[in-house]
Amino acid sequence: MIPLPGTPPLVTAALHNALELGYLTTTRNETGRLLATLAGSVHGPIGECEAGCGAGAAWLRLGAHTRTHVFTVDDDENRCQRVRDILDGQDVEVIQGGWDDLVAHGPFGLLSMPIRIARATPIPTIVKAVRHGGLILIDDMPPSFGFPPRTLDGGVDQTRLSWRSEESVNCTEIQLAEDLAAIIAVRH
C-alpha cells in the first residue's frame, strides 16, 4: 500500500479500498478532518450513513473518544465486508442495511450523511436520530454563495434552505474547499 502524505494509515487503507472498488470519489481529507474534529467533541455513539469504502468511518474513529462507538451503514454486502476488514478492531460497527438499521443504534452524538440522503429524508426524522445538543453533518455538496442557496443548475436549493430555517437546530454551512461545502447543525 502506498502511503499518502498527511493521511493517517487507517484512512489510507480505506482510500486504497476505494480505488480497488472503482470509486472515483470518496471522503476527501478536508471532510475527513472535519469529521474527526466533530467526532472528538461529542458524547454518545456516532452514526454515518453510507459506509462506502470506509474513509468517513476511519476519520470518525480517529477523532472519536476511545469509548465512543461508531456505526456506519451501507446497503451493499461486499462493500460492508471490505470496510469491516479495514476497520477490524477499531470499534466501528459496519451494518448492512439502510437508514432504519442505523437509527436503531441512536440517538447519536454525531450523525454524518451525504446531501443526497439528506434530500431524501425529512428533517424531523434526521433530527430525531440525534441527541439534544448532538451534531448533524451533511456533506458532499458544492458551495453555494449568496441567498437563497442555489443548486449547480441555478435553481433554489430547497434542502439547504430548509435546514437554514429549521427551528429545531442551529445550523450553518461552511466551505471546506473551493468545490466542497458542508452543513453543520446542532439539535436544540
Side-chain angles (χ1 to χ4, degrees):
M1 183 167 42
I2 301 169
L4 301 172
T7 305
L10 189 60
V11 175
T12 299
L15 295 175
H16 281 277
N17 183 39
L19 291 175
E20 290 172 8
L21 287 170
Y23 278 74
L24 298 177
T25 61
T26 187
T27 301
R28 291 172 38 179
N29 283 356
E30 297 94 336
T31 304
R33 293 186 197 302
L34 177 61
L35 287 168
T37 301
L38 295 177
S41 71
V42 300
H43 299 284
I46 295 174
E48 178 196 38
C49 296
E50 285 198 345
C53 66
W59 280 111
L60 288 166
R61 177 68 268 153
L62 290 170
H65 298 284
T66 304
R67 294 186 177 163
T68 300
H69 195 62
V70 177
F71 296 90
T72 186
V73 68
D74 201 284
D75 61 0
D76 183 88
E77 182 178 350
N78 180 50
R79 285 193 304 259
C80 285
Q81 188 53 56
R82 290 179 69 114
V83 172
R84 282 185 196 106
D85 292 344
I86 290 166
L87 300 176
D88 185 45
Q90 298 295 320
D91 197 17
V92 176
E93 187 170 336
V94 182
I95 304 162
Q96 183 184 348
W99 171 258
D100 291 335
D101 301 300
L102 178 66
V103 172
H105 298 280
F108 299 104
L110 169 62
L111 178 62
S112 172
M113 66 178 50
I115 187 69
R116 69 174 190 73
I117 291 178
R119 288 190 199 291
T121 310
I123 290 175
T125 302
I126 296 170
V127 171
K128 278 181 28 182
V130 176
R131 296 173 175 208
H132 290 280
L135 298 171
I136 299 162
L137 176 71
I138 301 169
D139 63 4
D140 289 346
M141 59 185 155
S144 175
F145 303 101
F147 190 84
R150 300 283 176 181
T151 60
L152 284 176
D153 64 5
V156 174
D157 189 325
Q158 295 299 328
T159 301
R160 285 173 153 154
L161 192 58
S162 295
W163 275 97
R164 288 182 184 183
S165 59
E166 174 58 38
E167 293 183 5
S168 64
V169 298
N170 287 331
C171 176
T172 192
E173 185 172 323
I174 61 169
Q175 186 173 349
L176 299 171
E178 185 176 302
D179 61 341
L180 186 64
I183 291 172
I184 302 173
V186 61
R187 181 179 179 184
H188 295 291

